């Protein structure tokens, strides 16, 4: 029997000793105000046992982690039709890289880079009646928690500095791969990135990926096969141009965000979420990567 609480405690203690905690993202000005010393780890087993250490109850900006939840909703609406508008290949490039989009005729490499996520936002605003309200309600239902919300300051901060996202959206529009107006798609996208959640809420929200597409309320959102595909995309595309490194050192499907969060999971077993706002050069949480690498090494729990 593995003593998860003491393993998590050891990892936490070890990681907090790290001198170089990385750098807090500042290209979205509102994110730069976060304390670099924050660090939380939370694990939830598929049976519902929870373990939390440090700042696991403090909310942070989930940023790109939202892309997995948006994709899930788009797949539940459109099924395989999604793949006509966005590919499933790792990009090997930063999240906001644009040249490939032009070369590949407006079909983004995958739904977890910004261009792909914009196409997913477009699909969602075409299908939802009240897009922002319906999306946040979807996340509240997954977590059984109505306190989850957008952070309007972060969404605004991102809008006024979002030159590359505007460029990507305009390029997509020029290739007819956006059906709604650029402003509407970006407004939805900036809001989804601004959602604030804590580690324990994220572990709950991602339970459906460890549980064959069924959420905590036992509602089926996506099929087993769709769940497998989303997990495959997280493994191959979930960590910017460091997805190979994450698979190599950690060995779990997961998704990171520039707010410093990482959610990873082992199907049928557990969901683990870390938050430490200092990022490495590739944009992934420095302590989060370290802690997760230690976790799968010490427990020998990975998909490989
Ligand atoms: N909202 C961020 C952007 O589009 C997301 C970045 C991220 O977390 O990868 O720039």
């Amino acid at each position: 029997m593995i003593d998860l609480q003491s393993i998590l405690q050891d990892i936490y203690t070890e990681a907090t000793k790290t001198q170089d905690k990385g750098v807090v993202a500042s290209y979205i000005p509102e994110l730069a105000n976060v304390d670099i010393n924050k660090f939380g780890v939370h694990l939830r087993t598929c049976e519902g046992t929870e373990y939390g250490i440090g700042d696991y109850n403090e909310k942070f900006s989930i940023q790109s982690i939202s892309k997995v939840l948006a994709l899930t909703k788009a797949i539940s609406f459109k099924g395989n039709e999604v793949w006509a508008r966005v590919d499933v290949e790792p990009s090997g490039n930063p999240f906001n890289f644009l040249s490939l989009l032009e070369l590949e005729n407006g079909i983004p490499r995958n739904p977890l880079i910004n261009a792909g996520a914009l196409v997913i936002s477009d699909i969602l605003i075409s299908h939802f009646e009240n897009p922002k309200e319906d999306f946040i309600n979807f996340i509240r239902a997954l977590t059984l928690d109505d306190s989850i919300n957008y952070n309007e300051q972060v969404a605004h901060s991102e809008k006024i500095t979002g030159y590359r996202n505007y460029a990507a959206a305009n390029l997509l529009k020029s290739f007819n791969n956006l059906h709604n107006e650029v402003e509407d798609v970006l407004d939805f996208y900036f809001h989804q990135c601004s959602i604030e959640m804590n580690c324990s809420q994220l572990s709950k929200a991602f339970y459906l990926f460890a549980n064959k597409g069924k959420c905590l309320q036992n509602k089926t959102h996506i099929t087993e096969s769709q769940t497998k595909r989303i997990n495959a995309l997280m493994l191959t595309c979930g960590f910017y141009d460091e997805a190979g490194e994450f698979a190599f050192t950690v060995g779990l499907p997961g998704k990171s965000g520039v707010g410093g969060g990482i959610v990873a999971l082992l199907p049928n077993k557990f969901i683990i979420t870390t938050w430490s706002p200092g990022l490495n050069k590739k944009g992934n949480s420095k302590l989060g990567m370290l802690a997760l690498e230690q976790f799968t090494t010490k427990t020998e729990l990975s998909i490989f």
Side-chain angles (χ1 to χ4, degrees):
M1 192 59 192
I2 313 177
D3 182 352
L4 286 172
Q5 184 69 39
S6 80
I7 290 180
L8 289 171
Q9 187 62 57
D10 289 350
I11 293 168
Y12 180 83
T13 311
E14 228 11 74
T16 43
K17 288 187 194 146
T18 311
Q19 292 296 320
D20 178 5
K21 295 191 165 72
V23 179
V24 177
S26 57
Y27 76 102
I28 302 171
E30 201 56 37
L31 291 184
N33 306 327
V34 180
D35 177 2
I36 191 152
N37 295 311
K38 296 286 179 190
F39 185 34
V41 181
H42 180 270
L43 182 142
R44 184 183 177 98
T45 67
C46 283
E47 287 80 43
T49 313
E50 297 186 63
Y51 306 85
I53 306 201
D55 302 309
Y56 70 97
N57 264 327
E58 191 160 326
K59 288 189 180 175
F60 58 93
S61 196
I62 70 167
Q63 291 294 319
S64 277
I65 296 172
S66 66
K67 290 173 180 163
V68 182
L69 300 170
L71 173 65
T72 302
K73 205 64 208 170
I75 289 179
S76 79
F77 284 139
K78 299 286 278 186
N80 283 338
E81 282 177 47
V82 168
W83 313 121
R85 295 181 57 189
V86 53
D87 209 344
V88 294
E89 294 297 336
S91 78
N93 287 301
F95 63 98
N96 56 7
F97 193 75
L98 288 176
S99 328
L100 273 181
L101 189 57
E102 169 108 277
L103 283 176
E104 294 174 356
N105 300 318
I107 303 294
R109 271 285 168 115
N110 67 69
L112 302 182
I113 53 171
N114 286 13
L118 290 168
V119 170
I120 299 300
S121 296
D122 186 55
I123 293 174
L124 293 187
I125 57 183
S126 295
H127 278 76
F128 278 134
E129 215 157 288
N130 301 301
K132 285 190 272 189
E133 198 181 321
D134 295 350
F135 187 63
I136 204 76
N137 283 336
F138 164 61
I139 295 182
R140 289 172 180 164
L142 288 182
T143 50
L144 313 170
D145 192 332
D146 284 346
S147 75
I148 295 170
N149 227 327
Y150 300 110
N151 179 323
E152 291 296 337
Q153 276 107 306
V154 171
H156 178 72
S157 184
E158 192 157 347
K159 181 185 162 84
I160 57 176
T161 54
Y163 305 110
R164 295 190 75 87
N165 286 321
Y166 271 91
N170 279 296
L171 206 47
L172 288 165
K173 187 81 181 164
S174 77
F175 282 108
N176 293 323
N177 202 5
L178 283 193
H179 302 163
N180 296 280
E181 292 308 319
V182 163
E183 280 298 339
D184 296 339
V185 174
L186 287 171
D187 181 61
F188 182 85
Y189 172 76
F190 293 143
H191 275 85
Q192 76 163 59
C193 291
S194 82
I195 292 173
E196 294 188 325
M197 292 168 77
N198 62 34
C199 293
S200 118
Q201 291 165 333
L202 278 166
S203 297
K204 280 186 184 160
F206 273 59
Y207 171 66
L208 86 163
F209 306 113
N211 189 42
K212 302 184 172 76
K214 289 196 180 85
C215 70
L216 286 171
Q217 299 187 80
N218 216 27
K219 175 176 171 195
T220 302
H221 291 268
I222 42 174
T223 65
E224 269 192 65
S225 152
Q226 290 168 334
T227 309
K228 181 192 77 180
R229 289 176 172 188
I230 294 177
N231 283 332
L233 282 166
M234 283 197 256
L235 185 76
T236 52
C237 314
F239 293 85
Y240 313 117
D241 46 342
E242 209 171 31
E245 179 75 15
F246 193 82
F248 188 76
T249 56
V250 179
L252 295 172
K255 182 73 196 92
S256 61
V258 294
I262 299 180
V263 192
L265 62 110
L266 183 59
N268 307 313
K269 293 280 188 265
F270 64 81
I271 308 93
I272 183 165
T273 306
T274 60
W275 172 51
S276 167
L279 308 180
N280 66 18
K281 289 201 170 64
K282 301 277 173 87
N284 293 306
S285 167
K286 190 130 193 211
L287 296 197
M289 293 272 286
L290 201 72
L292 291 167
E293 190 257 314
Q294 282 299 304
F295 179 77
T296 55
T297 303
K298 284 185 200 282
T299 59
E300 296 182 354
L301 293 171
S302 90
I303 61 166
F304 298 113

